[in-house]
Amino acid sequence: MKTPSNFFLKSRKEILKHKYLKNLKFEDTSIYLNSLKKSKFSVNKYEDFDRPLIQPRGGYSNINKQQKLNIELEKSGADLIPLTIDSFTRLNDYESVNKVLIKEKQLNKEILNGYPLVNHGYEKTRAILNKVNNPISLRHGTPDARLLVEHALASGITDIEGGGLSYSLPYSKKMPIEKSLMFWGYVDELCAFMSGEKKEIMRESFGVLTATLVPPLIIVIVEILELLMSAQKGTKAFMLTFAQTGSLVQDIIIANVLRMISKKYLSKYNFSLKALKLGYHHWMGPFPNNFDKSNALIVQGTFNAALIKADKVIIKTKFESHSIPTIEANCEATKTVKYILDIFKIKDTLTNDEILIETNNLFEQAESVLEIILKNKQTIDIIDVCDAVNEGYIDIPFSPHPQNKNKVRTYRDHYGMIRFADYGKIPLTDKLKEKDLKILKLNKNYLKANNVIDAINFMVSK
Amino acid sequence: MFLNNNKKVVMGVIGHDIHSVSNILMQQALKNSDYDVLNLGVETQPNFYKDAIIEFGADVLLISSLNGEWKYWIPKLKKSLSLLKTKPILYLGGNILSLNRRESELELFKIQNYGFKRIFDRNKNFDYFLNCLEKDLNEDAE
């Protein structure tokens, strides 16, 4: 267990007094996590598999329904069980959750779009999570997740998604980035504090971002910064992630660069992790309405996950464009993905000259921007990360966040690769910007309004 | 102060919903079609719409919801808008109706009762939306 900082201890004391976390004592969570079997920690799961682990998505407001979902998903072959949180909890609006839960009871109908973990509380949640053998992963989108993660860890959840950049820039218009990074610093330190030998809490970044024409360079920068900020707080297990871009070649390039550059920067700052993994999200943009096409897209995403040798694939269902998936649809998707991954094994990732050139280009770009952001200091300074957002060095297309500059413009080329049309304020030399702009020059049509919409609706407009 | 005759649209994503992409694209499409747009963006609570409609003198209110929260927030919006003397044309867009036919018919009925003139359920065609908007505004003027 990591020795906690004074700042963390002081903050935790305050958080444990919160109205919605009254009964939890300082040591309760670590005692409970210690009592769990090693198999309940996702970090230990990867050694047993020569294919990506399968993790569906899912959360219901009704406790019994959530329990049923967990059990059915496990039976269907899910290696990691999700607990997806509702959107009120994501914005810390626990009072409204209370009102909605009362209304749900009156109407005998679900209104919330996920599991309200803080309101149900860790004690009830513990009881349902104990009914499955596999590790549980917390999926949310909460810029201030301190209370939520306290409940999650106390419930026995050992896999925590999110980060100060990836859960604020795409998910909030009200949370200042400076605060979000501090709040996620608390979460990282909490996860480090609760980690034991072979019982490390896995922290997972959300490299999907807005899932809308996000260029690989931004994904890589956000992922590496969140990795380094987390490692500095003492976490020992971390997962970098990104979502299917629409181009298999680009997916391979991103995976290559994330693997290479993460090792380089962990070593540069002398951070030593027990586990560094790569997660791959099925297509996160608009899904086809048509079930046949949705299923085809799920199959394609699953192949891609295998081809890039992802450690985990976070899957979608054919209901994606319609509503929150039913338990049956989620199980069906899990079985489909399992079938493919169990029979489709590859030894090495694919490569060719184009992949090598683009991999080197992306690596050079990312390294160049990271060096400017991190200013060659001995440690990672969150003020430098805030500055990077405020200066527009980190600029995520279609972000609702007011601090995001929204100067970057991107397009899809003929082969579906996402490229820069305008680098905004991202500090790169002309030489490093050359390739994307050159391709754009050859076909300015890529930027026309309908083409941008088509590029976003890439999987539905065919 | 706007000194032109452009029609005015207030828009936003209701409740705690943070789906920003279509909201940003729709704002652009409306501006390109010479509408004056006040975009309240994501995470907008019902009362803000009422205030914005009064302040801006909106002809149209376009609400979107992708994560299903509309069921909770639209009744509150209706209550809030009931205080207005003149109501704008109301539109609702996003992922709205459920897949179950009977359930979706009930939802549609409820939405119409809340005063929405049209719903654009899973509509990805901005031209269709803009044509409907033009037609409804012309009818309203007559």
PDB file of all heavy atoms in Angstrom, chain A residues 87-88 91 93 100 113 171-174 212 319 321-322 398 400 456, chain B residues 16 18 20-21 25 40 42-44 67 69 72-73 95 99 122 126:
ATOM      1  N   SER A  87     -26.631   9.494 -15.629  1.00  0.00           N
ATOM      2  CA  SER A  87     -26.094  10.823 -15.937  1.00  0.00           C
ATOM      3  C   SER A  87     -26.318  11.855 -14.825  1.00  0.00           C
ATOM      4  O   SER A  87     -25.624  12.856 -14.776  1.00  0.00           O
ATOM      5  CB  SER A  87     -26.684  11.331 -17.252  1.00  0.00           C
ATOM      6  OG  SER A  87     -28.086  11.274 -17.216  1.00  0.00           O
ATOM      7  N   PHE A  88     -27.257  11.615 -13.927  1.00  0.00           N
ATOM      8  CA  PHE A  88     -27.423  12.545 -12.792  1.00  0.00           C
ATOM      9  C   PHE A  88     -26.238  12.400 -11.832  1.00  0.00           C
ATOM     10  O   PHE A  88     -25.666  13.382 -11.387  1.00  0.00           O
ATOM     11  CB  PHE A  88     -28.731  12.252 -12.033  1.00  0.00           C
ATOM     12  CG  PHE A  88     -29.981  12.657 -12.761  1.00  0.00           C
ATOM     13  CD1 PHE A  88     -30.435  11.926 -13.842  1.00  0.00           C
ATOM     14  CD2 PHE A  88     -30.703  13.771 -12.375  1.00  0.00           C
ATOM     15  CE1 PHE A  88     -31.590  12.284 -14.523  1.00  0.00           C
ATOM     16  CE2 PHE A  88     -31.856  14.148 -13.048  1.00  0.00           C
ATOM     17  CZ  PHE A  88     -32.302  13.398 -14.130  1.00  0.00           C
ATOM     18  N   LEU A  91     -23.018  13.993 -12.777  1.00  0.00           N
ATOM     19  CA  LEU A  91     -22.880  15.427 -12.494  1.00  0.00           C
ATOM     20  C   LEU A  91     -23.153  15.738 -11.023  1.00  0.00           C
ATOM     21  O   LEU A  91     -23.489  16.860 -10.663  1.00  0.00           O
ATOM     22  CB  LEU A  91     -23.771  16.240 -13.431  1.00  0.00           C
ATOM     23  CG  LEU A  91     -23.275  16.191 -14.882  1.00  0.00           C
ATOM     24  CD1 LEU A  91     -24.293  16.778 -15.828  1.00  0.00           C
ATOM     25  CD2 LEU A  91     -21.948  16.908 -15.048  1.00  0.00           C
ATOM     26  N   ASP A  93     -25.499  15.124  -9.004  1.00  0.00           N
ATOM     27  CA  ASP A  93     -26.832  15.613  -8.632  1.00  0.00           C
ATOM     28  C   ASP A  93     -27.587  14.497  -7.892  1.00  0.00           C
ATOM     29  O   ASP A  93     -28.552  13.922  -8.403  1.00  0.00           O
ATOM     30  CB  ASP A  93     -27.580  16.050  -9.902  1.00  0.00           C
ATOM     31  CG  ASP A  93     -28.906  16.726  -9.607  1.00  0.00           C
ATOM     32  OD1 ASP A  93     -29.243  16.863  -8.409  1.00  0.00           O
ATOM     33  OD2 ASP A  93     -29.608  17.108 -10.562  1.00  0.00           O
ATOM     34  N   VAL A 100     -35.942  10.987  -8.523  1.00  0.00           N
ATOM     35  CA  VAL A 100     -36.244  10.090  -9.650  1.00  0.00           C
ATOM     36  C   VAL A 100     -36.504   8.670  -9.148  1.00  0.00           C
ATOM     37  O   VAL A 100     -37.409   7.987  -9.637  1.00  0.00           O
ATOM     38  CB  VAL A 100     -35.105  10.106 -10.697  1.00  0.00           C
ATOM     39  CG1 VAL A 100     -35.403   9.138 -11.822  1.00  0.00           C
ATOM     40  CG2 VAL A 100     -34.909  11.505 -11.262  1.00  0.00           C
ATOM     41  N   ASN A 113     -30.714   6.492 -16.584  1.00  0.00           N
ATOM     42  CA  ASN A 113     -30.051   5.755 -17.669  1.00  0.00           C
ATOM     43  C   ASN A 113     -28.797   5.007 -17.202  1.00  0.00           C
ATOM     44  O   ASN A 113     -27.903   4.747 -17.995  1.00  0.00           O
ATOM     45  CB  ASN A 113     -29.729   6.710 -18.827  1.00  0.00           C
ATOM     46  CG  ASN A 113     -28.970   7.928 -18.361  1.00  0.00           C
ATOM     47  OD1 ASN A 113     -28.492   7.965 -17.226  1.00  0.00           O
ATOM     48  ND2 ASN A 113     -28.839   8.930 -19.218  1.00  0.00           N
ATOM     49  N   TYR A 171     -16.988  15.727 -21.428  1.00  0.00           N
ATOM     50  CA  TYR A 171     -18.165  15.402 -20.621  1.00  0.00           C
ATOM     51  C   TYR A 171     -18.722  16.556 -19.805  1.00  0.00           C
ATOM     52  O   TYR A 171     -19.647  16.356 -19.022  1.00  0.00           O
ATOM     53  CB  TYR A 171     -17.817  14.277 -19.630  1.00  0.00           C
ATOM     54  CG  TYR A 171     -17.935  12.896 -20.204  1.00  0.00           C
ATOM     55  CD1 TYR A 171     -16.811  12.126 -20.459  1.00  0.00           C
ATOM     56  CD2 TYR A 171     -19.184  12.348 -20.476  1.00  0.00           C
ATOM     57  CE1 TYR A 171     -16.922  10.850 -20.976  1.00  0.00           C
ATOM     58  CE2 TYR A 171     -19.303  11.075 -20.988  1.00  0.00           C
ATOM     59  CZ  TYR A 171     -18.166  10.333 -21.235  1.00  0.00           C
ATOM     60  OH  TYR A 171     -18.283   9.072 -21.741  1.00  0.00           O
ATOM     61  N   SER A 172     -18.153  17.730 -19.912  1.00  0.00           N
ATOM     62  CA  SER A 172     -18.611  18.783 -19.016  1.00  0.00           C
ATOM     63  C   SER A 172     -18.472  20.153 -19.652  1.00  0.00           C
ATOM     64  O   SER A 172     -17.553  20.391 -20.426  1.00  0.00           O
ATOM     65  CB  SER A 172     -17.783  18.730 -17.729  1.00  0.00           C
ATOM     66  OG  SER A 172     -18.071  19.836 -16.926  1.00  0.00           O
ATOM     67  N   LYS A 173     -19.399  21.038 -19.286  1.00  0.00           N
ATOM     68  CA  LYS A 173     -19.178  22.422 -19.692  1.00  0.00           C
ATOM     69  C   LYS A 173     -19.024  23.320 -18.462  1.00  0.00           C
ATOM     70  O   LYS A 173     -18.874  24.516 -18.585  1.00  0.00           O
ATOM     71  CB  LYS A 173     -20.315  22.910 -20.595  1.00  0.00           C
ATOM     72  CG  LYS A 173     -21.626  23.222 -19.919  1.00  0.00           C
ATOM     73  CD  LYS A 173     -22.545  23.971 -20.867  1.00  0.00           C
ATOM     74  CE  LYS A 173     -23.853  24.309 -20.183  1.00  0.00           C
ATOM     75  NZ  LYS A 173     -24.827  24.940 -21.052  1.00  0.00           N
ATOM     76  N   LYS A 174     -19.099  22.696 -17.287  1.00  0.00           N
ATOM     77  CA  LYS A 174     -19.072  23.518 -16.083  1.00  0.00           C
ATOM     78  C   LYS A 174     -17.858  23.288 -15.181  1.00  0.00           C
ATOM     79  O   LYS A 174     -17.578  24.099 -14.317  1.00  0.00           O
ATOM     80  CB  LYS A 174     -20.356  23.279 -15.277  1.00  0.00           C
ATOM     81  CG  LYS A 174     -21.588  23.862 -15.951  1.00  0.00           C
ATOM     82  CD  LYS A 174     -22.852  23.424 -15.265  1.00  0.00           C
ATOM     83  CE  LYS A 174     -24.072  23.852 -16.075  1.00  0.00           C
ATOM     84  NZ  LYS A 174     -25.248  23.101 -15.758  1.00  0.00           N
ATOM     85  N   THR A 212     -15.627  11.815 -31.988  1.00  0.00           N
ATOM     86  CA  THR A 212     -16.055  12.453 -33.225  1.00  0.00           C
ATOM     87  C   THR A 212     -14.872  13.119 -33.925  1.00  0.00           C
ATOM     88  O   THR A 212     -14.423  14.199 -33.508  1.00  0.00           O
ATOM     89  CB  THR A 212     -17.145  13.510 -32.915  1.00  0.00           C
ATOM     90  OG1 THR A 212     -18.173  12.871 -32.141  1.00  0.00           O
ATOM     91  CG2 THR A 212     -17.751  14.066 -34.178  1.00  0.00           C
ATOM     92  N   PHE A 319     -28.305  -2.568 -30.448  1.00  0.00           N
ATOM     93  CA  PHE A 319     -29.297  -1.572 -30.026  1.00  0.00           C
ATOM     94  C   PHE A 319     -28.704  -0.176 -29.877  1.00  0.00           C
ATOM     95  O   PHE A 319     -29.413   0.752 -29.500  1.00  0.00           O
ATOM     96  CB  PHE A 319     -29.910  -1.968 -28.678  1.00  0.00           C
ATOM     97  CG  PHE A 319     -31.074  -2.894 -28.790  1.00  0.00           C
ATOM     98  CD1 PHE A 319     -30.887  -4.257 -28.855  1.00  0.00           C
ATOM     99  CD2 PHE A 319     -32.373  -2.404 -28.829  1.00  0.00           C
ATOM    100  CE1 PHE A 319     -31.952  -5.124 -28.965  1.00  0.00           C
ATOM    101  CE2 PHE A 319     -33.451  -3.266 -28.935  1.00  0.00           C
ATOM    102  CZ  PHE A 319     -33.246  -4.625 -29.004  1.00  0.00           C
ATOM    103  N   SER A 321     -27.963   2.445 -31.506  1.00  0.00           N
ATOM    104  CA  SER A 321     -28.575   3.687 -31.996  1.00  0.00           C
ATOM    105  C   SER A 321     -30.020   3.830 -31.523  1.00  0.00           C
ATOM    106  O   SER A 321     -30.667   4.830 -31.806  1.00  0.00           O
ATOM    107  CB  SER A 321     -28.523   3.750 -33.515  1.00  0.00           C
ATOM    108  OG  SER A 321     -29.555   2.975 -34.052  1.00  0.00           O
ATOM    109  N   HIS A 322     -30.522   2.836 -30.810  1.00  0.00           N
ATOM    110  CA  HIS A 322     -31.935   2.874 -30.434  1.00  0.00           C
ATOM    111  C   HIS A 322     -32.173   3.277 -28.978  1.00  0.00           C
ATOM    112  O   HIS A 322     -32.948   4.173 -28.705  1.00  0.00           O
ATOM    113  CB  HIS A 322     -32.589   1.514 -30.694  1.00  0.00           C
ATOM    114  CG  HIS A 322     -32.626   1.163 -32.141  1.00  0.00           C
ATOM    115  ND1 HIS A 322     -33.658   1.509 -32.953  1.00  0.00           N
ATOM    116  CD2 HIS A 322     -31.723   0.532 -32.941  1.00  0.00           C
ATOM    117  CE1 HIS A 322     -33.416   1.106 -34.194  1.00  0.00           C
ATOM    118  NE2 HIS A 322     -32.248   0.499 -34.202  1.00  0.00           N
ATOM    119  N   PHE A 398     -15.269  19.077 -31.151  1.00  0.00           N
ATOM    120  CA  PHE A 398     -16.645  18.920 -30.656  1.00  0.00           C
ATOM    121  C   PHE A 398     -16.750  18.802 -29.140  1.00  0.00           C
ATOM    122  O   PHE A 398     -17.737  18.308 -28.621  1.00  0.00           O
ATOM    123  CB  PHE A 398     -17.343  17.734 -31.344  1.00  0.00           C
ATOM    124  CG  PHE A 398     -17.446  17.907 -32.826  1.00  0.00           C
ATOM    125  CD1 PHE A 398     -16.542  17.301 -33.677  1.00  0.00           C
ATOM    126  CD2 PHE A 398     -18.434  18.714 -33.366  1.00  0.00           C
ATOM    127  CE1 PHE A 398     -16.610  17.483 -35.051  1.00  0.00           C
ATOM    128  CE2 PHE A 398     -18.511  18.905 -34.732  1.00  0.00           C
ATOM    129  CZ  PHE A 398     -17.604  18.289 -35.580  1.00  0.00           C
ATOM    130  N   PRO A 400     -17.663  20.106 -25.534  1.00  0.00           N
ATOM    131  CA  PRO A 400     -18.550  21.154 -25.021  1.00  0.00           C
ATOM    132  C   PRO A 400     -17.874  22.043 -23.973  1.00  0.00           C
ATOM    133  O   PRO A 400     -18.495  22.955 -23.440  1.00  0.00           O
ATOM    134  CB  PRO A 400     -19.673  20.338 -24.362  1.00  0.00           C
ATOM    135  CG  PRO A 400     -19.019  19.076 -23.918  1.00  0.00           C
ATOM    136  CD  PRO A 400     -17.898  18.794 -24.891  1.00  0.00           C
ATOM    137  N   ILE A 456     -18.601  12.103 -39.870  1.00  0.00           N
ATOM    138  CA  ILE A 456     -19.047  11.762 -38.510  1.00  0.00           C
ATOM    139  C   ILE A 456     -19.964  10.536 -38.579  1.00  0.00           C
ATOM    140  O   ILE A 456     -19.841   9.602 -37.795  1.00  0.00           O
ATOM    141  CB  ILE A 456     -19.783  12.965 -37.876  1.00  0.00           C
ATOM    142  CG1 ILE A 456     -18.793  14.100 -37.633  1.00  0.00           C
ATOM    143  CG2 ILE A 456     -20.458  12.558 -36.567  1.00  0.00           C
ATOM    144  CD1 ILE A 456     -19.435  15.427 -37.276  1.00  0.00           C
TER     145      ILE A 456
ATOM    146  N   HIS B  16     -28.962  16.738 -17.855  1.00  0.00           N
ATOM    147  CA  HIS B  16     -27.535  16.500 -17.607  1.00  0.00           C
ATOM    148  C   HIS B  16     -26.858  15.888 -18.831  1.00  0.00           C
ATOM    149  O   HIS B  16     -25.731  15.399 -18.741  1.00  0.00           O
ATOM    150  CB  HIS B  16     -27.365  15.548 -16.430  1.00  0.00           C
ATOM    151  CG  HIS B  16     -27.862  16.102 -15.133  1.00  0.00           C
ATOM    152  ND1 HIS B  16     -27.477  17.335 -14.678  1.00  0.00           N
ATOM    153  CD2 HIS B  16     -28.706  15.617 -14.203  1.00  0.00           C
ATOM    154  CE1 HIS B  16     -28.064  17.581 -13.516  1.00  0.00           C
ATOM    155  NE2 HIS B  16     -28.824  16.544 -13.206  1.00  0.00           N
ATOM    156  N   ILE B  18     -24.774  15.393 -22.065  1.00  0.00           N
ATOM    157  CA  ILE B  18     -23.584  16.122 -22.517  1.00  0.00           C
ATOM    158  C   ILE B  18     -23.264  15.848 -23.998  1.00  0.00           C
ATOM    159  O   ILE B  18     -22.173  16.136 -24.459  1.00  0.00           O
ATOM    160  CB  ILE B  18     -22.341  15.793 -21.653  1.00  0.00           C
ATOM    161  CG1 ILE B  18     -22.180  14.290 -21.447  1.00  0.00           C
ATOM    162  CG2 ILE B  18     -22.414  16.465 -20.314  1.00  0.00           C
ATOM    163  CD1 ILE B  18     -21.624  13.533 -22.544  1.00  0.00           C
ATOM    164  N   SER B  20     -22.711  16.662 -27.315  1.00  0.00           N
ATOM    165  CA  SER B  20     -22.512  17.996 -27.890  1.00  0.00           C
ATOM    166  C   SER B  20     -22.413  18.018 -29.413  1.00  0.00           C
ATOM    167  O   SER B  20     -22.568  19.069 -30.026  1.00  0.00           O
ATOM    168  CB  SER B  20     -21.235  18.607 -27.309  1.00  0.00           C
ATOM    169  OG  SER B  20     -20.141  17.747 -27.545  1.00  0.00           O
ATOM    170  N   VAL B  21     -22.151  16.872 -30.039  1.00  0.00           N
ATOM    171  CA  VAL B  21     -21.763  16.899 -31.453  1.00  0.00           C
ATOM    172  C   VAL B  21     -22.877  17.429 -32.357  1.00  0.00           C
ATOM    173  O   VAL B  21     -22.691  18.409 -33.092  1.00  0.00           O
ATOM    174  CB  VAL B  21     -21.301  15.496 -31.921  1.00  0.00           C
ATOM    175  CG1 VAL B  21     -20.951  15.527 -33.400  1.00  0.00           C
ATOM    176  CG2 VAL B  21     -20.105  15.051 -31.109  1.00  0.00           C
ATOM    177  N   LEU B  25     -23.169  20.900 -34.598  1.00  0.00           N
ATOM    178  CA  LEU B  25     -23.400  20.851 -36.052  1.00  0.00           C
ATOM    179  C   LEU B  25     -24.706  21.557 -36.428  1.00  0.00           C
ATOM    180  O   LEU B  25     -24.771  22.279 -37.426  1.00  0.00           O
ATOM    181  CB  LEU B  25     -23.446  19.396 -36.525  1.00  0.00           C
ATOM    182  CG  LEU B  25     -22.108  18.663 -36.539  1.00  0.00           C
ATOM    183  CD1 LEU B  25     -22.334  17.187 -36.814  1.00  0.00           C
ATOM    184  CD2 LEU B  25     -21.159  19.253 -37.579  1.00  0.00           C
ATOM    185  N   LEU B  40     -27.645  27.243 -26.009  1.00  0.00           N
ATOM    186  CA  LEU B  40     -27.357  27.112 -24.572  1.00  0.00           C
ATOM    187  C   LEU B  40     -26.471  25.897 -24.289  1.00  0.00           C
ATOM    188  O   LEU B  40     -26.040  25.690 -23.156  1.00  0.00           O
ATOM    189  CB  LEU B  40     -28.664  27.005 -23.782  1.00  0.00           C
ATOM    190  CG  LEU B  40     -29.609  28.201 -23.935  1.00  0.00           C
ATOM    191  CD1 LEU B  40     -30.942  27.928 -23.236  1.00  0.00           C
ATOM    192  CD2 LEU B  40     -28.994  29.476 -23.392  1.00  0.00           C
ATOM    193  N   VAL B  42     -24.868  22.005 -23.962  1.00  0.00           N
ATOM    194  CA  VAL B  42     -25.223  20.784 -23.219  1.00  0.00           C
ATOM    195  C   VAL B  42     -25.542  21.152 -21.766  1.00  0.00           C
ATOM    196  O   VAL B  42     -25.335  22.298 -21.351  1.00  0.00           O
ATOM    197  CB  VAL B  42     -24.079  19.740 -23.271  1.00  0.00           C
ATOM    198  CG1 VAL B  42     -23.773  19.351 -24.701  1.00  0.00           C
ATOM    199  CG2 VAL B  42     -22.823  20.270 -22.586  1.00  0.00           C
ATOM    200  N   GLU B  43     -26.057  20.164 -21.023  1.00  0.00           N
ATOM    201  CA  GLU B  43     -26.313  20.320 -19.576  1.00  0.00           C
ATOM    202  C   GLU B  43     -27.162  21.559 -19.275  1.00  0.00           C
ATOM    203  O   GLU B  43     -26.775  22.381 -18.453  1.00  0.00           O
ATOM    204  CB  GLU B  43     -25.000  20.510 -18.819  1.00  0.00           C
ATOM    205  CG  GLU B  43     -24.168  19.291 -18.587  1.00  0.00           C
ATOM    206  CD  GLU B  43     -22.905  19.660 -17.815  1.00  0.00           C
ATOM    207  OE1 GLU B  43     -23.013  20.153 -16.697  1.00  0.00           O
ATOM    208  OE2 GLU B  43     -21.807  19.444 -18.354  1.00  0.00           O
ATOM    209  N   THR B  44     -28.274  21.727 -19.963  1.00  0.00           N
ATOM    210  CA  THR B  44     -29.096  22.924 -19.726  1.00  0.00           C
ATOM    211  C   THR B  44     -30.423  22.554 -19.053  1.00  0.00           C
ATOM    212  O   THR B  44     -31.199  21.764 -19.590  1.00  0.00           O
ATOM    213  CB  THR B  44     -29.344  23.672 -21.054  1.00  0.00           C
ATOM    214  OG1 THR B  44     -28.066  23.984 -21.620  1.00  0.00           O
ATOM    215  CG2 THR B  44     -30.101  24.963 -20.813  1.00  0.00           C
ATOM    216  N   ASN B  67     -29.697  10.882 -24.322  1.00  0.00           N
ATOM    217  CA  ASN B  67     -29.475   9.833 -23.326  1.00  0.00           C
ATOM    218  C   ASN B  67     -30.750   9.424 -22.583  1.00  0.00           C
ATOM    219  O   ASN B  67     -30.677   8.784 -21.552  1.00  0.00           O
ATOM    220  CB  ASN B  67     -28.388  10.262 -22.327  1.00  0.00           C
ATOM    221  CG  ASN B  67     -28.830  11.431 -21.466  1.00  0.00           C
ATOM    222  OD1 ASN B  67     -29.944  11.914 -21.604  1.00  0.00           O
ATOM    223  ND2 ASN B  67     -27.970  11.879 -20.579  1.00  0.00           N
ATOM    224  N   GLU B  69     -32.941  11.313 -21.073  1.00  0.00           N
ATOM    225  CA  GLU B  69     -33.369  12.151 -19.948  1.00  0.00           C
ATOM    226  C   GLU B  69     -34.616  12.972 -20.249  1.00  0.00           C
ATOM    227  O   GLU B  69     -35.197  13.562 -19.339  1.00  0.00           O
ATOM    228  CB  GLU B  69     -32.241  13.103 -19.544  1.00  0.00           C
ATOM    229  CG  GLU B  69     -31.205  12.490 -18.654  1.00  0.00           C
ATOM    230  CD  GLU B  69     -30.270  13.546 -18.075  1.00  0.00           C
ATOM    231  OE1 GLU B  69     -30.726  14.626 -17.713  1.00  0.00           O
ATOM    232  OE2 GLU B  69     -29.057  13.263 -18.023  1.00  0.00           O
ATOM    233  N   TYR B  72     -37.733  12.806 -18.110  1.00  0.00           N
ATOM    234  CA  TYR B  72     -37.732  13.441 -16.801  1.00  0.00           C
ATOM    235  C   TYR B  72     -37.849  14.959 -16.915  1.00  0.00           C
ATOM    236  O   TYR B  72     -38.558  15.595 -16.144  1.00  0.00           O
ATOM    237  CB  TYR B  72     -36.444  13.061 -16.055  1.00  0.00           C
ATOM    238  CG  TYR B  72     -36.337  13.678 -14.685  1.00  0.00           C
ATOM    239  CD1 TYR B  72     -37.105  13.197 -13.623  1.00  0.00           C
ATOM    240  CD2 TYR B  72     -35.470  14.751 -14.445  1.00  0.00           C
ATOM    241  CE1 TYR B  72     -37.016  13.760 -12.371  1.00  0.00           C
ATOM    242  CE2 TYR B  72     -35.371  15.323 -13.180  1.00  0.00           C
ATOM    243  CZ  TYR B  72     -36.149  14.826 -12.153  1.00  0.00           C
ATOM    244  OH  TYR B  72     -36.070  15.394 -10.904  1.00  0.00           O
ATOM    245  N   TRP B  73     -37.155  15.527 -17.890  1.00  0.00           N
ATOM    246  CA  TRP B  73     -37.033  16.987 -17.932  1.00  0.00           C
ATOM    247  C   TRP B  73     -38.143  17.696 -18.720  1.00  0.00           C
ATOM    248  O   TRP B  73     -38.450  18.851 -18.448  1.00  0.00           O
ATOM    249  CB  TRP B  73     -35.677  17.402 -18.517  1.00  0.00           C
ATOM    250  CG  TRP B  73     -34.531  17.013 -17.642  1.00  0.00           C
ATOM    251  CD1 TRP B  73     -33.604  16.039 -17.873  1.00  0.00           C
ATOM    252  CD2 TRP B  73     -34.171  17.585 -16.371  1.00  0.00           C
ATOM    253  NE1 TRP B  73     -32.701  15.959 -16.836  1.00  0.00           N
ATOM    254  CE2 TRP B  73     -33.035  16.898 -15.907  1.00  0.00           C
ATOM    255  CE3 TRP B  73     -34.723  18.602 -15.584  1.00  0.00           C
ATOM    256  CZ2 TRP B  73     -32.425  17.210 -14.689  1.00  0.00           C
ATOM    257  CZ3 TRP B  73     -34.106  18.914 -14.369  1.00  0.00           C
ATOM    258  CH2 TRP B  73     -32.971  18.212 -13.936  1.00  0.00           C
ATOM    259  N   ASN B  95     -32.367  11.031 -29.786  1.00  0.00           N
ATOM    260  CA  ASN B  95     -32.852   9.650 -29.673  1.00  0.00           C
ATOM    261  C   ASN B  95     -34.040   9.670 -28.734  1.00  0.00           C
ATOM    262  O   ASN B  95     -33.875   9.658 -27.523  1.00  0.00           O
ATOM    263  CB  ASN B  95     -31.763   8.742 -29.105  1.00  0.00           C
ATOM    264  CG  ASN B  95     -30.823   8.265 -30.171  1.00  0.00           C
ATOM    265  OD1 ASN B  95     -30.858   8.752 -31.296  1.00  0.00           O
ATOM    266  ND2 ASN B  95     -29.986   7.310 -29.832  1.00  0.00           N
ATOM    267  N   LEU B  99     -38.212   1.653 -29.064  1.00  0.00           N
ATOM    268  CA  LEU B  99     -38.345   0.735 -30.206  1.00  0.00           C
ATOM    269  C   LEU B  99     -39.698   0.038 -30.229  1.00  0.00           C
ATOM    270  O   LEU B  99     -40.228  -0.282 -31.283  1.00  0.00           O
ATOM    271  CB  LEU B  99     -37.266  -0.335 -30.126  1.00  0.00           C
ATOM    272  CG  LEU B  99     -35.882   0.055 -30.612  1.00  0.00           C
ATOM    273  CD1 LEU B  99     -34.974  -1.148 -30.545  1.00  0.00           C
ATOM    274  CD2 LEU B  99     -35.928   0.605 -32.018  1.00  0.00           C
ATOM    275  N   ARG B 122     -33.994  10.483 -34.187  1.00  0.00           N
ATOM    276  CA  ARG B 122     -32.852   9.877 -34.887  1.00  0.00           C
ATOM    277  C   ARG B 122     -32.693  10.427 -36.311  1.00  0.00           C
ATOM    278  O   ARG B 122     -32.315   9.707 -37.224  1.00  0.00           O
ATOM    279  CB  ARG B 122     -32.979   8.347 -34.933  1.00  0.00           C
ATOM    280  CG  ARG B 122     -33.031   7.737 -33.549  1.00  0.00           C
ATOM    281  CD  ARG B 122     -33.264   6.253 -33.566  1.00  0.00           C
ATOM    282  NE  ARG B 122     -33.287   5.743 -32.219  1.00  0.00           N
ATOM    283  CZ  ARG B 122     -34.381   5.693 -31.450  1.00  0.00           C
ATOM    284  NH1 ARG B 122     -35.533   6.108 -31.925  1.00  0.00           N
ATOM    285  NH2 ARG B 122     -34.314   5.224 -30.224  1.00  0.00           N
ATOM    286  N   PHE B 126     -30.077  17.065 -41.961  1.00  0.00           N
ATOM    287  CA  PHE B 126     -30.268  18.454 -41.551  1.00  0.00           C
ATOM    288  C   PHE B 126     -31.154  19.209 -42.546  1.00  0.00           C
ATOM    289  O   PHE B 126     -31.884  20.107 -42.157  1.00  0.00           O
ATOM    290  CB  PHE B 126     -28.925  19.171 -41.427  1.00  0.00           C
ATOM    291  CG  PHE B 126     -28.148  18.774 -40.200  1.00  0.00           C
ATOM    292  CD1 PHE B 126     -28.607  17.790 -39.347  1.00  0.00           C
ATOM    293  CD2 PHE B 126     -26.955  19.405 -39.898  1.00  0.00           C
ATOM    294  CE1 PHE B 126     -27.898  17.421 -38.210  1.00  0.00           C
ATOM    295  CE2 PHE B 126     -26.232  19.048 -38.770  1.00  0.00           C
ATOM    296  CZ  PHE B 126     -26.699  18.053 -37.931  1.00  0.00           C
TER     297      PHE B 126
END
